[in-house]
Amino acid sequence: MATTASNRRQFLSLLGLSAVAVSCGTTATGATAGKGRTRTLRYQGSAGQVTLPELAEDLGYLGDVKLQWIGNTISGPQDIQSAATGQVDFGGAFNGAVVKLAANKAPVKAVISYYGSDKYAYNGFYVLDDSPVRSPGDLAGKKVGMNTLGAHSEAMLDIYLQRGGLSRSQIGKVEPLVVPPVNTEQTLRQKQIDVAVLGGILRDKALATGGIRPLFTDYQLLGAFSAGTYVMTDRFLEQNPETARTFVTGVGRAIEWARSTPRDEVVARMTDIVNKRGRNEDTAPLKYWRSFGVAERAGRITGKELQLWADWLTERGDIKKGQVKVADLYTNEFNAASSSSTSGS
């Protein structure tokens, strides 16, 4: 299961090839050309957790727009590829994956930020209390468990190692491994991996159990920032502007509701949502929820969230300099919940 820098590069290349395939003719969406707007949005969820669209629907913010759950995903790149190919109507991922997909001509546009990092919501890289790993240089030959490759966690790992003074060849000796989020804590405690990436309620649950300590967090590396966006295809936005506006604005309102509502009330609401959907999920970890971590009001996209990762991908050699124009990758046109609604700025 070892992963070299070359393997990671191949993963990102596959993401690009998928995007090229999309741009070469796949046009399936939840809408039918010339048949009017759709009011049903297909999506992928996350086991035991409540996504912002699910919260928005439960709060009544989506009006007559209904969500249709088609399954769960643990991978942002997979989710936005599913959106690009029309298997779902929206998908969310780390902004670096969004930039990579768009750089390879996938007909998608980011419409709202949905997660990020702050003092409450962050991803931490954790080791066991007795682990010898205490600095970037200690990670050579070590296994780092994360939800997917080529996305948020691997980017943070790269930045941490680079800031620690490691060369590209030294960084290549660190082994990122894919581990489902619900299994990551156990995998670390069983010493099958040396470092576990834990975020949100799964992180706080693991910390409450004890016996682990942080190596670093993305909040320590970059401060507060929005880290991921939901995307929709250009075709969907053109055919269903009212539905897109209802969806994006509703999600924006849900972000602000969660930000301004007492935490216990938010947790109770999310617990009720999970119970009502009847998927035999454990609701216990929800009590650790504290924030979605979105930096801007109502998930408004400023462009800097995407530019950061366009620069990172260019530095790695995964995209060419000037291959993407960040202003073309996103729009706030459909977000009436943000302070302003202008496209691309």
Side-chain angles (χ1 to χ4, degrees):
M1 296 180 69
T3 303
T4 64
S6 175
N7 294 144
R8 299 200 293 272
R9 190 70 56 84
Q10 289 173 7
F11 175 87
L12 288 165
S13 296
L14 287 173
L15 180 61
L17 289 172
S18 174
V20 171
V22 171
S23 68
C24 289
T26 303
T27 56
T29 70
T32 303
K35 298 297 183 181
R37 63 183 184 176
T38 180
R39 304 303 282 177
T40 300
L41 297 175
R42 298 161 300 149
Y43 78 104
Q44 297 183 106
S46 183
Q49 299 184 43
V50 176
T51 67
L52 274 164
E54 290 170 332
L55 179 61
E57 182 179 46
D58 193 71
L59 290 166
Y61 293 163
L62 299 188
D64 64 345
V65 173
K66 304 300 179 184
L67 300 179
Q68 181 183 339
W69 175 73
I70 66 167
N72 290 326
T73 182
I74 63 167
S75 166
Q78 183 275 332
D79 200 29
I80 59 174
Q81 286 184 68
S82 294
T85 56
Q87 295 169 279
V88 294
D89 297 309
F90 66 88
F94 159 62
N95 283 324
V98 173
V99 171
K100 179 66 178 178
L101 196 64
N104 286 279
K105 309 303 182 183
V108 297
K109 199 171 293 291
V111 292
I112 189 169
S113 294
Y114 74 98
Y115 86 91
S117 175
D118 61 19
K119 62 181 179 179
Y120 300 120
Y122 57 87
N123 283 311
F125 287 64
Y126 292 89
V127 297
L128 297 175
D129 278 343
D130 61 357
S131 170
V133 176
R134 295 188 175 276
S135 69
D138 296 332
L139 283 172
K142 297 296 190 291
K143 297 179 173 62
V144 183
M146 57 188 65
N147 71 315
T148 190
L149 303 183
H152 183 110
S153 295
E154 189 176 0
M156 296 304 154
L157 179 61
D158 260 10
I159 292 172
Y160 174 71
L161 295 172
Q162 287 171 1
R163 290 186 180 181
L166 275 68
S167 66
R168 180 54 59 185
S169 62
Q170 290 173 315
I171 291 174
K173 295 178 182 177
V174 183
E175 302 177 10
L177 302 176
V178 175
V179 181
V182 294
N183 302 124
T184 305
E185 177 190 353
Q186 180 184 8
T187 305
L188 175 66
R189 295 189 188 281
Q190 293 177 341
K191 299 187 177 181
Q192 294 174 297
I193 55 177
D194 302 286
V195 184
V197 182
L198 298 167
I201 57 181
L202 297 176
R203 175 202 68 224
D204 290 341
K205 177 176 177 289
L207 288 172
T209 302
I212 64 173
R213 58 178 171 82
L215 184 61
F216 70 95
T217 73
D218 53 11
Y219 181 59
Q220 290 172 336
L221 283 180
L222 299 175
F225 66 101
S226 292
T229 47
Y230 283 127
V231 304
M232 289 177 150
T233 64
D234 295 336
R235 185 170 183 261
F236 186 93
L237 294 172
E238 290 168 4
Q239 294 182 348
N240 302 279
E242 291 182 34
T243 300
R245 186 168 291 106
T246 298
F247 168 75
V248 175
T249 299
V251 171
R253 291 180 64 193
I255 290 170
E256 293 309 309
W257 180 87
R259 202 193 304 272
S260 62
T261 301
R263 189 183 72 87
D264 288 350
E265 187 177 334
V266 178
V267 170
R269 189 93 187 204
M270 294 196 297
T271 300
D272 184 58
I273 291 170
V274 172
N275 285 331
K276 285 190 300 186
R277 66 195 187 195
R279 300 177 196 159
N280 194 30
E281 299 164 282
D282 179 14
T283 61
L286 287 172
K287 66 183 179 182
Y288 297 103
W289 181 92
R290 299 183 74 183
S291 170
F292 285 108
V294 178
E296 304 297 331
R297 174 175 172 78
R300 178 178 173 79
I301 304 170
T302 67
K304 63 184 180 181
E305 315 95 324
L306 295 157
Q307 187 65 58
L308 174 67
W309 305 114
D311 294 342
W312 176 71
L313 287 165
T314 300
E315 182 182 346
R316 284 167 56 102
D318 294 315
I319 65 174
K320 296 178 181 178
K321 186 175 182 179
Q323 188 174 342
V324 298
K325 183 179 179 183
V326 167
D328 295 336
L329 305 187
Y330 72 97
T331 179
N332 291 302
E333 175 186 352
F334 303 97
N335 193 348
S338 63
S339 58
S340 177
S341 328
T342 56
S343 176
S345 63

